[in-house]
């Protein structure tokens, strides 16, 4: 009887073990998180997942200095994502984020542009409606990802230009190729008459199209401008460097600029000039400097006269 009881008990234990084994296998396939235990120092843990579409494996290693390093590997439809972090004395330290900030490198210096002369005649050819002398330089973008910029000049003796003499707008388009930077482009200046209702001629828009060093075509512009404002019949003069901001980090620089639009005569002589603010500041410095020099000269002469007079008086007393 005892033997039968023991035999029946053995059969029940084996059946229970098989049932637990089957349930464990099903749980392993359905479970989303599988963790390996903490291992001894200098131990490599290898975990293999087979036929599990979605699972997470966490591995913890203990180092010699009693610190632990954990790695979490997530498998989703065959794609793996790994996250590493360190636990020291029970405190979790997540990975340090990358705080690198991209800065815009300064462009390589380039010689000042050479002044060129441009003119636009009407269709009949009997009126030169627009005259412009200027050295022009552009700040262009070489690479959008790294924000790398470079400078390109409109070369000397550029003769490929044209324009239009409209009643409300005068335009000048200059096509250029800079051999130094292998930049091919064109720029269009638009001048408007009485745009703001102030009876002034102004530069109202600038449009720049170019192919940069890397072969990328770009078009940038600035509109609704009121630059180079001047009275009709007079020219705008600015010998100093001027900067005009364009879109997307571009800019245009002018040097030795003189321009006159909406002309009604057939000559190439500019009308009376109105100086820009930058030139006016320079003009103010000159007379101030001259005045200071003259004042210093007067003081020196006066001091010399007083010293000479004092010496003459002493010599007179000695003679007596």
């Amino acid at each position: 009887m005892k033997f039968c009881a023991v035999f029946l008990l053995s059969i029940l234990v084996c059946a229970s073990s098989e049932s637990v084994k089957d349930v464990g296998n099903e749980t392993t396939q359905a479970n989303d998180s599988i963790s390996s235990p903490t291992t001894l120092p200098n131990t490599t843990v290898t975990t293999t997942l087979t036929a599990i579409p979605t699972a997470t494996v966490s591995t913890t290693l203990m180092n010699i200095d009693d610190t632990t390093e954990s790695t979490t590997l997530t498998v989703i439809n065959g794609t793996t994502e790994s996250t590493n972090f360190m636990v020291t004395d029970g405190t979790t330290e997540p990975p340090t984020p990358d705080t690198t900030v991209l800065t815009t490198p300064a462009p390589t210096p380039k010689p000042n542009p050479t002044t060129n002369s441009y003119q636009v005649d009407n269709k009949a050819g009997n009126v030169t409606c627009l005259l412009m002398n200027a050295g022009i330089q552009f700040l262009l973008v070489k690479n959008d990802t790294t924000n790398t910029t470079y400078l390109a000049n409109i070369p000397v003796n550029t003769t490929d230009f044209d324009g239009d003499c409209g009643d409300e707008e005068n335009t000048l388009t200059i096509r250029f190729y800079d051999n130094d930077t292998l930049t091919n482009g064109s720029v269009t200046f638009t001048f408007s008459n009485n745009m703001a209702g102030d009876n002034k001629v102004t530069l109202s828009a600038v449009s720049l199209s170019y192919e940069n060093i890397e072969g990328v075509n770009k078009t940038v512009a600035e509109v609704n401008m009121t630059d180079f404002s001047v009275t009709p019949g007079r020219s705008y003069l600015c010998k100093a460097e001027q900067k005009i901001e364009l879109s997307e980090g571009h800019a245009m620089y002018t040097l030795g600029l003189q321009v006159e639009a909406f002309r009604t005569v057939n000559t190439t002589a500019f009308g009376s000039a109105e100086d820009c603010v930058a030139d006016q500041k320079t003009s103010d410095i000159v007379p101030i400097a001259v005045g200071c020099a003259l004042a210093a000269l007067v003081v020196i002469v006066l001091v010399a006269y007083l010293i000479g007079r004092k010496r003459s008086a002493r010599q007179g007393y000695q003679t007596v």
Side-chain angles (χ1 to χ4, degrees):
M1 192 73 178
K2 248 182 205 185
F3 175 79
C4 291
V6 171
F7 179 75
L8 291 174
L9 182 61
S10 299
I11 292 174
L12 291 174
V13 169
C14 291
S16 300
S17 298
E18 291 296 326
S19 176
V20 170
K21 183 177 180 181
D22 293 339
V23 172
N25 290 337
E26 293 175 3
T27 304
T28 301
Q29 294 178 358
N31 195 4
D32 289 339
S33 179
I34 304 174
S35 301
S36 61
T38 303
T39 61
L40 296 176
N42 302 323
T43 301
T44 301
V45 176
T46 303
T47 305
T48 304
L49 299 178
T50 305
I52 301 179
T54 302
T56 302
V57 178
S58 300
T59 303
T60 303
L61 300 178
M62 180 175 289
N63 297 323
I64 298 175
D65 57 356
D66 295 331
T67 62
T68 60
E69 295 184 4
S70 298
T71 300
T72 299
L73 179 64
T74 303
V75 181
I76 301 176
N77 294 328
T79 302
T80 61
E81 296 180 1
S82 180
T83 303
N84 297 314
F85 57 91
M86 179 176 288
V87 180
T88 304
D89 298 332
T91 303
T92 302
E93 298 180 1
T96 303
D98 185 6
T99 57
T100 303
V101 179
L102 291 177
T103 57
T104 302
T108 304
K110 188 176 180 66
N112 288 333
T114 304
T115 300
N116 287 316
S117 298
Y118 311 96
Q119 71 178 63
V120 177
D121 298 332
N122 64 357
K123 294 180 180 180
N126 57 0
V127 172
T128 301
C129 68
L130 193 152
L131 285 175
M132 186 169 79
N133 293 343
I136 301 174
Q137 184 178 84
F138 298 102
L139 177 65
L140 306 177
V141 175
K142 177 181 179 182
N143 188 293
D144 291 326
T145 303
T146 59
N147 293 328
T148 308
T149 59
Y150 68 100
L151 296 172
N153 292 344
I154 293 184
V156 63
N157 297 328
T158 296
T159 58
D160 188 4
F161 58 86
D162 55 33
D164 182 68
C165 298
D167 295 332
E168 297 181 356
E169 291 183 346
N170 284 182
T171 61
L172 168 64
T173 298
I174 306 170
R175 287 166 287 274
F176 64 92
Y177 181 78
D178 185 7
N179 289 314
D180 295 336
T181 60
L182 305 179
T183 300
N184 186 29
S186 66
V187 58
T188 298
F189 299 89
T190 301
F191 295 88
S192 298
N193 189 13
N194 197 30
M195 179 178 178
D198 55 359
N199 195 30
K200 294 283 187 178
V201 175
T202 57
L203 174 65
S204 57
V206 175
S207 177
L208 171 66
S209 299
Y210 70 99
E211 180 182 354
N212 67 9
I213 297 175
E214 297 187 344
V216 178
N217 291 308
K218 287 181 170 292
T219 299
V220 295
E222 184 66 23
V223 297
N224 298 324
M225 302 167 56
T226 56
D227 294 62
F228 307 169
S229 179
V230 67
T231 304
R234 298 172 67 88
S235 63
Y236 177 86
L237 177 64
C238 197
K239 298 177 181 178
E241 181 183 277
Q242 290 188 109
K243 180 181 179 180
I244 296 177
E245 298 283 355
L246 303 177
S247 57
E248 301 179 18
H250 296 72
M252 181 183 72
Y253 302 90
T254 62
L255 190 65
L257 171 70
Q258 187 168 12
V259 60
E260 183 180 356
F262 294 96
R263 292 162 41 90
T264 57
V265 294
N266 188 22
T267 65
T268 56
F270 286 98
S272 300
E274 294 183 8
D275 294 332
C276 64
V277 176
D279 284 356
Q280 290 174 1
K281 291 180 179 179
T282 304
S283 300
D284 292 340
I285 293 174
V286 174
I288 291 174
V290 172
C292 291
L294 290 176
L297 182 60
V298 170
V299 171
I300 293 173
V301 172
L302 182 59
V303 170
Y305 170 75
L306 292 176
I307 293 174
R309 184 176 179 182
K310 190 173 182 180
R311 288 181 178 178
S312 299
R314 287 180 178 178
Q315 290 178 358
Y317 289 135
Q318 290 177 357
T319 302
V320 173

